[in-house]
Amino acid sequence: MSASRLRSLGIDPATGKETYAVTRPGGYLDALADAHALTSAAALLAVVGAVLDADNASDAELAAFVPSLHMALGECVGVIAEGTVTSGSTPPSRTARP
C-alpha cells in the first residue's frame, strides 16, 4: 500500500491561503486533490501556450514559468503513478520490446 502524502486541495476562498490535506490513496480527498492538480495543470498549459504563441516573451519571462511547470508536471505524474499502483497494473518496462 502506498503511503499517505500531503496534497494541495486549492485555495481557500475565505482566507486566500492554499489548503493542504494528508490524503489516503483512493480516498475522497485524494480524488479531490487529483482533480485540482489536473485542473491547475490545464490552466497553466493554456497560459504558457498563449505566451509561447505570442512569440515575444523574453528568456527571463519564460524562465519564470519553470517552477510552476515543474510542480504541475510532478503532480500529474503522481496522479498517473498512483492510478497505476491502485489499479494493480504495473507500468511497462522502458527496456521491454514488443
Side-chain angles (χ1 to χ4, degrees):
M1 183 170 135
S2 297
S4 298
R5 57 188 174 134
L6 189 62
R7 305 279 312 276
S8 172
L9 300 177
I11 303 297
D12 180 357
T15 64
K17 295 181 180 179
E18 192 156 13
T19 304
Y20 292 93
V22 176
T23 64
R24 187 185 76 242
Y28 177 76
L29 290 178
D30 198 47
L32 191 61
D34 287 353
H36 172 67
L38 295 174
T39 301
S40 297
L44 184 59
L45 176 67
V47 169
V48 172
V51 169
L52 292 173
D53 286 344
D55 201 31
N56 62 354
S58 70
D59 288 345
E61 290 168 327
L62 293 174
F65 286 113
V66 171
S68 297
L69 289 168
H70 181 263
M71 187 180 347
L73 182 59
E75 279 292 316
C76 289
V77 168
V79 169
I80 293 167
E82 189 63 39
T84 301
V85 170
T86 58
S87 71
S89 63
T90 56
S93 169
R94 292 179 186 237
T95 59
R97 297 196 178 176

